Every structure is written in structure tokens, then in C-alpha cells.
Amino acid sequence: LLAVLASSANAGANPPVGLDANGHLMPVAAPASLPAAFSYSAIEHGVQVRVAGVTKNVIFYGPATVRVNTTLGDNFWRHPSIVVTGKPAAIAFTTREDADTLTLRGKQLQIVIDKASGALTFKDAKGKVYTRESQAAPQTLKKIDVAGAPTYEAENSFALKPDEGIY
């Protein structure tokens, strides 16, 4: 079954923001009925997905820029980010769903989300792959305490081409 959904930039109803007042991920998607099941919700400027126990936002911050943040559903941050200082942008995009993927397509950027793992593939407008998360394990998140405060220990992995490096 193929579904095409216009983004919040094109839709008449106002979708939830998906971010709290400090700009951190706020879960809005209904939990999947099974831990490994995939679900998503349109949010302002992007989508929020749930798969394999994680909640992930993919939000446009510009025509060729998205912010991705992932949690286990809990938000431990109480202050705005000192790293991400920009705000989401109203970029027109479409959302297309098929049996295995959910694709966000803007004029300059495509993000393909694997429904089985939540792995993201980033492509240019013509479909050339920029980079992709590892299919088997795109991220590892573990709840920990640091100095008595809850937080996440996070690791993200990418499937790199032989001549590609991340710095």
C-alpha cells in the first residue's frame, strides 16, 4: 500500500511540534503496538518515528539540512542546546510510505527511513546517497546517570564507503 502525505508546509491542519520549549525531542507519535513495529506522525517541519523501542525526529532546518534526534522516549534535558542554536524551517516536502520505507522528499534533500530498523539514508534531490546509518544498528541508546542526573549514553553508526571518512 502506497501512501503520499503532504508535509506540514502543505497541510491545512497544524501538526504537533515534536519539540519542547527548549528545542528537545518531545514524543508525539503513539507507541507502536509491538516493540519492533513501525509508526510515524507528521510533526511541524518533519516527522517523528517510533521503531525498535526508539523515538526519532527528522526535522528540516533548511532546504538541505535536517536535524535528527533520537531517544528511548524520555527527555532528560532541561535547558536549550548550546550546539543547535537554529530553529526549524518551513521547507516544503512530501512524505511517501511503502512497505519497507518512509521517504521525506524536499527540493534539495531526501531522507529514507527504513521501517525495520529506523536507519536513515540521506540523498540529494536526484537520489545520490550522501551517507547512511548502519542498517542493522543505526544507534545504540542506554539510560545512565551522570553525577546523579539521568541522561543517555549514545552511539550512532554509519555505513561508510571505502573512501569516506567522518571527522
Side-chain angles (χ1 to χ4, degrees):
L1 182 63
L2 185 65
V4 177
L5 168 70
S7 74
S8 59
N10 301 323
N14 292 332
V17 175
L19 299 172
D20 67 12
N22 290 318
H24 301 295
L25 186 150
M26 181 173 65
V28 298
S33 58
L34 300 172
F38 178 88
S39 67
Y40 80 96
S41 292
I43 59 174
E44 189 174 33
H45 312 300
V47 297
Q48 184 174 98
V49 300
R50 287 189 185 223
V51 62
V54 301
T55 302
K56 183 180 285 194
N57 276 355
V58 180
I59 300 175
F60 280 90
Y61 273 61
T65 306
V66 292
R67 177 183 181 193
V68 178
N69 48 346
T70 308
T71 72
L72 295 174
D74 294 318
N75 177 354
F76 301 121
W77 296 274
R78 303 293 174 244
H79 303 284
S81 173
I82 60 173
V83 176
V84 179
T85 58
K87 301 292 182 201
I91 303 301
F93 70 94
T94 58
T95 306
R96 182 178 178 111
E97 182 177 15
D98 64 30
D100 300 318
T101 62
L102 176 70
T103 301
L104 285 66
R105 182 184 301 255
K107 285 186 179 182
Q108 296 182 29
L109 184 64
Q110 298 178 52
I111 301 93
V112 180
I113 305 167
D114 180 80
K115 288 177 151 185
S117 67
L120 304 180
T121 300
F122 301 89
K123 300 179 178 184
D124 70 11
K126 294 180 180 179
K128 179 184 175 194
V129 173
Y130 287 128
T131 193
R132 66 182 66 199
E133 293 180 314
S134 297
Q135 192 72 21
Q139 71 273 315
T140 304
L141 293 173
K142 180 178 160 185
K143 289 182 185 180
I144 63 168
D145 282 337
V146 174
T151 190
Y152 290 112
E153 179 180 273
E155 179 181 324
N156 195 252
S157 58
F158 291 85
L160 302 178
K161 299 172 192 166
D163 60 344
E164 183 179 16
I166 296 180
Y167 303 94

